[in-house]
Amino acid sequence: NKQRNMDQVISLLAKDFIPSVPCTCAPGVNMHELYTPNAAFPITPNLRFALQTSILDISPSKVVDLDETDRVKEYTNTFRHTVKLEYEEKMRLYEHYSLYAHQIKAMTNKTAKILIPGIMDARPSLSISDIVLLRPLQPVMVPQYDYHHNLRITPNTLEIQSRIVDMVRGRRDEPDSIVISWELEIGQKELLKDDHFMRQYNIRFVPEESFPQICNTALEWLEKLSKSEQKHIKNLLFPVVAPMVKPLTYDQMTCDMSALAGDFRNSDVLKPLNEEQASFLRMIRARTLDPAFQSLRPACILTGPAGTGKTKTLIAAIAEVLGLLKKDDTNKNRVLLCAPSHAAADVLTERLTAILRRDEIFRMYNSSRPSVTVPGKILPFTVTIPGTDTFTLPSPEGWQKFRVVVCTCMDAHILYRAQITNYAIRTKRYCFVSYLRSNNPIGLDFGGGGIRYGKEPFFTHLFVDEAGQATEPEVLCPMSVVLDPVPGEQKVEIALIGDPRQLSPRIYSEKAALHGLGRSFMERILKRPVECIGRGESHILGPDTLKSLDGPVSSILDLERYYMNIDGQEQLTVFLTENYRGHPSFLMMPSALFYYDRLKSAKGVGLESLSYWIDRLRSVEALSKRTEMTFESSASRRDIMDDYRRVHCQSKWPIHFRAVKGKDTSVALDTFTGTDSWQNDEEADAAVEIIHALVLNGVAPIKIGVMSPYRGQVVAIRKRCRAKHYHDVNVGTIENFQGVEQDVIILSLTRSNPSFVESDVKKRMGVFGMPKQANVALTRAENLFIVVGNPEPMWEDQLWRQWLLWVLRNGLWYGEGLEFWDAVRAKIKDANFVNTIEQVDVENKDVDTVVVSTIEKVHRVHSTDGM
């Protein structure tokens, strides 16, 4: 019923958003199609999908390397296949959730509840609108009359098709549950009459069809464009040349946020932008003042790690676009703001409230989303059907007052279906105005100037936040709304914001990920060679290794010269490097391991605040002894770096490594957590012991976050926390903490057996051999960061080996040591020191190179208690 209501609203908007009139001014355009909803790509779920690996092994010749093509047909064929592979893989994984001889409980005449302990931790997770197939365990006895009119009772097999309408995590001793639709037909109600809820069912789950349907709809839109229209879109999809943009004048270079008016309580929007943030704002300003008309420009991109102010810069850019920085009352710009997740879109909506009125923001949800899952502070920016809590769309006249429309990338397809697209609105608006000019049916006086209408598109700008986590077909959804490929019309400006060095899109099919679905549009574009005018070709994101730079690499200066030639040049990208989150020690290894040693600490840590957390850390350090491993200085090499071959205990750094040699075991047979059902009891016990020590020393449980790359370990730690009544401790996977900052972070690495690491990498889980996962894990803490793990498998990973050397030389390593340290110690004494992991030979297992970041050199205290 909710979907039928939404379909009716979509039809109304397509028909009445701009009145329909006889049109002769757009030859070759089917105006009837523009006044009817765009059809969704038909997808019929295969409810009898068999577990046949042969289906997943098909790789058609049409699938191409996306880095080597610029043909739209090859592009769409490749993604059609990857979307199919991903949907089939989810269907296969859903088979593991099947229930046998299971009871259900009717809640109302329309819903029923199924109790399934642990289902909320299933991966992939069940979703609202997933299909539920229920078949009574025992055949249903159906009364029938035979040929001779004799009444016979015959067994009959009955299957009920339902949908998930809600999911509820169990609290304390209650199990998890799902709520399903239970609107039986009259005959079914009588046959399944079960007053005492004793009937048992076999239950299967099938993923709902929206993902392949919406992605294929966007791909079909791209395919249907004419050859000439596709040519104009290639600059966006396959950029090769940097755009030409008129430079700003001296007066236009100012980035003063003080002119903004609004409610700035709990907002940092008025704080001055640093030079890098201001550079992105100027890029947006230059593109806005000098819009393109003939063909689309490549997207401009804002990247940077967590804590560098990407969201603040994004909000400032939106304020600039809407004319809020200079109070331009004639500004008619409108922004479509998207993110891959509802959580990210809700955060953006809340941040926008500081600069816009309530009636200028529309947070759009699909009608299937339960209102109880939406934060209360976001509800005022939504539209619901009167008298219900069902989300819907505003009336045609309501859209004109919105300055920003916020939604997920996938939900943007609602606008496409409702013909609220730049192409459809421009075409219908032009026809309507032309009709009035030529007919003037009611004798309006136009003052001799005729009727005017703005040349600007309905959506002048598209911003995609957290773009590094969105699949490419997902990003095509909002693009199908804003792109008007007809030459001569003003083009939309597009900006992507995110960090491609952190989590990529979550894909379950290994083959789909291999063919491009596991890489975001942002990352593909950033690694594409773009000809910067007068500067040759360079990868915007940076070289894969320093060896890929032209000429010999003797120092970090070569890398600095590289970025001087690319950063902020030619209206392409800005990389934020000044970090405002946490203690400088939190940046030392991420800077060297993931960001070419470019990060700088911009936050001044208050002595009082630091002292508080260092005091709390002392209670954690008291739980184990500092490792007694030491370095051996080189007798032949005496240089300034020789000091990094000594242990200097950094007693003021809020970081702690607790080495625990536990055992990792799989609990896949006992849970729904799937392939990441690994747990490590010794590490779980150590994590809860640390939580207990912190709570006893005054840290509120709500300030503590615990994460693990494995769902099984999350469940194990959560159970232990509940047993101690620490219900407010936030326990989750690394993915759950993307975009989240917490005062205290405890990371349980879980993996203790190195022989499983290769399998982990193939399944894209864990933190060994997974630099993006490791990057997120190392950058979540605000005030105190604690790692619990086994140093043996950590040493086998090049990235984590450098991290171990870092905690060791700075006196942050407690607990177990390395059994083979004596052999390693002798090799380190003659090691070379470099600034970035790219300068390390990853194939070399020997410790002949040690990474020391610039931030560490600046902040490391050469204490007298060195060993």
Side-chain angles (χ1 to χ4, degrees):
N1 289 334
K2 289 184 177 181
Q3 188 57 51
R4 282 196 295 269
N5 289 333
M6 179 62 84
D7 290 341
Q8 291 172 1
V9 175
I10 287 174
S11 297
L12 174 67
L13 286 171
K15 177 176 177 293
D16 296 337
F17 196 84
I18 293 178
S20 175
V21 294
C23 180
T24 59
C25 63
V29 177
N30 187 335
M31 295 302 296
H32 174 72
E33 289 185 355
L34 294 182
Y35 284 95
T36 55
N38 282 315
F41 190 88
I43 294 288
T44 302
N46 181 3
L47 303 183
R48 298 291 178 267
F49 182 75
L51 299 180
Q52 299 175 358
T53 56
S54 59
I55 295 178
L56 303 176
D57 289 336
I58 298 175
S59 181
S61 58
K62 294 181 180 179
V63 172
V64 299
D65 184 347
L66 295 172
D67 292 327
E68 301 296 331
T69 187
D70 63 353
R71 297 182 179 180
V72 171
K73 187 64 177 176
E74 292 179 340
Y75 175 90
T76 56
N77 282 343
T78 298
F79 278 117
R80 280 194 190 282
H81 181 63
T82 59
V83 168
K84 177 176 179 290
L85 288 177
E86 177 66 6
Y87 187 58
E88 289 179 347
E89 178 66 9
K90 286 193 71 173
M91 284 196 286
R92 186 183 70 81
L93 293 173
Y94 268 38
E95 292 290 338
H96 299 299
Y97 307 154
S98 298
L99 304 170
Y100 303 95
H102 206 82
Q103 294 178 338
I104 69 170
K105 180 178 180 180
M107 297 178 64
T108 66
N109 290 332
K110 295 183 178 181
T111 61
K113 179 188 289 187
I114 306 177
L115 302 179
I116 315 176
I119 195 62
M120 294 297 290
D121 293 311
R123 287 298 178 269
S125 59
L126 295 178
S127 303
I128 304 296
S129 297
D130 278 343
I131 299 169
V132 186
L133 303 174
L134 303 98
R135 179 174 293 181
L137 183 63
Q138 300 296 334
V140 177
M141 308 309 293
V142 180
Q144 292 180 332
Y145 289 95
D146 62 14
Y147 183 77
H148 300 289
H149 302 287
N150 296 320
L151 181 64
R152 296 181 180 274
I153 306 298
T154 58
N156 195 3
T157 300
L158 179 67
E159 184 171 79
I160 303 162
Q161 182 172 328
S162 179
R163 295 268 184 173
I164 296 178
V165 296
D166 196 10
M167 302 181 65
V168 182
R169 179 178 291 279
R171 298 296 179 186
R172 291 177 169 81
D173 296 329
E174 296 180 2
D176 298 340
S177 63
I178 64 171
V179 180
I180 63 173
S181 57
W182 194 249
E183 299 183 64
L184 304 179
E185 300 174 2
I186 295 178
Q188 290 178 330
K189 287 182 179 180
E190 188 62 31
L191 293 173
L192 296 173
K193 189 174 182 180
D194 184 21
D195 295 334
H196 301 288
F197 308 113
M198 298 300 294
R199 186 182 296 279
Q200 295 178 321
Y201 295 84
N202 291 336
I203 304 173
R204 293 178 55 238
F205 300 93
V206 179
E208 53 100 12
E209 62 276 22
S210 67
F211 174 75
Q213 184 179 65
I214 293 172
C215 290
N216 277 286
T217 301
L219 292 167
E220 185 179 50
W221 158 78
L222 186 57
E223 283 183 338
K224 285 184 175 180
L225 296 177
S226 67
K227 294 285 187 181
S228 61
E229 291 172 336
Q230 289 181 359
K231 179 181 178 181
H232 291 289
I233 286 182
K234 283 187 176 182
N235 284 346
L236 177 65
L237 297 180
F238 315 106
V240 293
V241 179
M244 294 288 292
V245 181
K246 184 179 178 181
L248 296 175
T249 65
Y250 178 80
D251 293 338
Q252 294 170 334
M253 298 290 285
T254 304
C255 297
D256 184 9
M257 305 299 295
S258 62
L260 275 174
D263 182 3
F264 302 114
R265 288 172 297 180
N266 302 320
S267 174
D268 61 352
V269 71
L270 285 184
K271 293 182 179 178
L273 302 177
N274 64 40
E275 184 54 35
E276 292 165 346
Q277 295 167 340
S279 177
F280 181 74
L281 189 143
R282 294 188 192 103
M283 185 185 300
I284 296 296
R285 179 180 294 167
R287 286 180 171 224
T288 302
L289 294 175
D290 183 28
F293 285 88
Q294 292 305 313
S295 62
L296 286 156
R297 290 169 174 156
C300 55
I301 298 175
L302 177 68
T303 70
T308 53
K310 293 190 298 294
T311 303
K312 168 185 167 61
T313 308
L314 168 59
I315 299 301
I318 292 175
E320 165 64 30
V321 164
L322 300 180
L324 303 179
L325 297 186
K326 293 189 177 181
K327 298 182 180 180
D328 182 3
D329 295 333
T330 64
N331 186 294
K332 296 182 180 180
N333 292 336
R334 185 178 289 106
V335 172
L336 177 60
L337 178 57
C338 296
S341 69
H342 282 291
D346 291 340
V347 169
L348 293 172
T349 303
E350 185 177 356
R351 295 291 294 269
L352 284 171
T353 59
I355 63 172
L356 293 171
R357 299 192 307 269
R358 173 176 168 177
D359 60 351
E360 294 178 317
I361 306 170
F362 173 45
R363 174 67 173 96
M364 184 175 70
Y365 291 98
N366 203 334
S367 59
S368 61
R369 186 159 185 84
S371 61
V372 294
T373 64
V374 177
K377 62 183 69 174
I378 304 299
L379 287 174
F381 304 97
T382 65
V383 176
T384 57
I385 297 175
T388 74
D389 59 356
T390 301
F391 294 113
T392 187
L393 302 177
S395 60
E397 58 273 13
W399 286 87
Q400 300 302 323
K401 61 186 178 183
F402 295 135
R403 305 297 308 277
V404 181
V405 176
V406 188
C407 64
T408 63
C409 295
M410 296 287 281
D411 279 353
H413 87 285
I414 298 172
L415 300 175
Y416 172 75
R417 290 202 58 215
Q419 297 286 9
I420 305 178
T421 69
N422 282 350
Y423 169 75
I425 291 174
R426 176 189 57 78
T427 305
K428 292 192 288 187
R429 183 173 56 185
Y430 183 74
C431 291
F432 181 70
V433 172
S434 298
Y435 175 79
L436 291 183
R437 283 174 175 166
S438 58
N439 292 273
N440 196 5
I442 56 177
L444 293 176
D445 180 11
F446 300 133
I451 298 178
R452 295 184 178 182
Y453 72 98
K455 284 284 187 179
E456 70 281 346
F458 186 76
F459 291 110
T460 57
H461 294 74
L462 166 64
F463 290 91
V464 181
D465 194 21
E466 300 288 0
Q469 297 181 59
T471 66
E472 203 148 337
E474 280 182 83
V475 176
L476 282 180
C477 294
M479 288 184 180
S480 68
V481 174
V482 301
L483 297 191
D484 186 353
V486 177
E489 301 297 335
Q490 181 178 328
K491 306 305 178 205
V492 67
E493 294 295 341
I494 299 176
L496 307 176
I497 297 91
D499 185 0
R501 294 198 175 276
Q502 296 208 359
L503 294 184
S504 296
R506 185 66 172 97
I507 300 299
Y508 294 96
S509 167
E510 182 179 343
K511 289 186 177 292
L514 180 65
H515 289 310
L517 197 64
R519 182 175 62 169
S520 68
F521 174 65
M522 175 189 234
E523 185 172 359
R524 182 176 69 83
I525 294 302
L526 280 171
K527 288 195 173 181
R528 188 177 179 87
V530 175
E531 183 180 348
C532 295
I533 301 169
R535 294 178 178 85
E537 292 188 355
S538 297
H539 290 279
I540 303 172
L541 185 62
D544 294 330
T545 66
L546 288 182
K547 296 177 182 178
S548 67
L549 294 171
D550 294 333
V553 178
S554 59
S555 70
I556 198 65
L557 293 177
D558 294 297
L559 190 60
E560 292 176 355
R561 284 194 293 270
Y562 175 91
Y563 278 107
M564 286 175 63
N565 288 335
I566 194 68
D567 267 5
Q569 301 294 333
E570 310 303 342
Q571 306 295 324
L572 285 172
T573 183
V574 170
F575 178 33
L576 303 181
T577 61
E578 292 192 32
N579 195 288
Y580 295 85
R581 177 188 296 175
H583 191 271
S585 59
F586 295 165
L587 304 176
M588 293 175 185
M589 291 313 291
S591 180
L593 298 176
F594 312 112
Y595 298 106
Y596 301 113
D597 195 38
R598 302 185 68 205
L599 301 188
K600 301 182 288 288
S601 179
K603 180 178 180 179
V605 181
L607 293 178
E608 183 177 347
S609 174
L610 177 61
S611 177
Y612 173 85
W613 291 107
I614 292 299
D615 287 346
R616 308 288 88 73
L617 179 59
R618 296 292 172 259
S619 65
V620 175
E621 293 173 344
L623 300 175
S624 58
K625 292 183 179 180
R626 182 184 290 136
T627 180
E628 297 180 354
M629 296 187 302
T630 61
F631 289 102
E632 180 179 338
S633 296
S634 173
S636 59
R637 299 179 57 178
R638 291 291 181 181
D639 53 36
I640 192 171
M641 298 304 294
D642 189 56
D643 187 68
Y644 291 90
R645 298 183 181 93
R646 298 189 181 94
V647 175
H648 289 288
C649 299
Q650 307 299 319
S651 59
K652 299 298 183 181
W653 290 6
I655 290 182
H656 179 81
F657 173 51
R658 174 79 171 275
V660 176
K661 294 184 179 179
K663 182 180 180 181
D664 45 4
T665 57
S666 175
V667 290
L669 297 179
D670 303 321
T671 68
F672 290 100
T673 50
T675 56
D676 60 350
S677 308
W678 292 93
Q679 71 180 45
N680 187 315
D681 288 332
E682 290 81 3
E683 286 191 25
D685 291 339
V688 175
E689 182 185 31
I690 291 170
I691 293 171
H692 184 64
L694 290 171
V695 173
L696 287 180
N697 279 271
V699 179
I702 199 170
K703 293 186 176 183
I704 302 173
V706 186
M707 60 180 170
S708 168
Y710 302 95
R711 181 64 56 173
Q713 184 73 346
V714 168
V715 174
I717 295 174
R718 187 179 290 144
K719 287 181 178 178
R720 286 166 168 80
C721 287
R722 289 179 178 176
K724 288 185 172 293
H725 305 288
Y726 297 147
H727 301 287
D728 290 333
V729 173
N730 183 10
V731 187
T733 62
I734 292 175
E735 289 90 345
N736 298 145
F737 280 85
Q738 172 76 4
V740 175
E741 39 185 273
Q742 198 114 17
D743 283 302
V744 180
I745 286 291
I746 302 172
L747 169 64
S748 171
L749 299 180
T750 309
R751 178 62 72 212
S752 277
N753 190 336
S755 61
F756 291 122
V757 171
E758 184 177 352
S759 175
D760 286 349
V761 173
K762 287 183 178 180
K763 296 173 182 176
R764 297 176 302 284
M765 66 183 186
V767 292
F768 300 138
M770 300 290 290
K772 292 185 178 182
Q773 289 270 88
N775 189 6
V776 175
L778 291 173
T779 55
R780 296 303 98 193
E782 181 73 25
N783 289 302
L784 184 58
F785 182 46
I786 300 168
V787 177
V788 180
N790 188 331
E792 307 289 347
M794 295 173 71
W795 189 263
E796 294 297 315
D797 183 275
Q798 183 66 262
L799 185 153
W800 285 98
R801 182 189 306 171
Q802 296 295 336
W803 191 86
L804 285 177
L805 290 172
W806 176 71
V807 294
L808 178 59
R809 66 176 173 263
N810 290 297
L812 308 172
W813 185 330
Y814 286 72
E816 302 281 353
L818 288 171
E819 293 181 1
F820 49 82
W821 176 248
D822 288 340
V824 172
R825 182 170 175 261
K827 297 178 181 179
I828 293 179
K829 70 177 182 179
D830 293 317
N832 296 316
F833 290 88
V834 296
N835 297 73
T836 72
I837 193 70
E838 283 76 19
Q839 295 168 283
V840 177
D841 184 358
V842 295
E843 301 298 329
N844 189 351
K845 298 298 183 181
D846 291 332
V847 189
D848 58 357
T849 309
V850 176
V851 176
V852 180
S853 68
T854 301
I855 302 181
E856 182 179 358
K857 295 174 186 177
V858 172
H859 291 277
R860 190 172 192 251
V861 176
H862 307 288
S863 55
T864 57
D865 58 344
M867 293 181 289

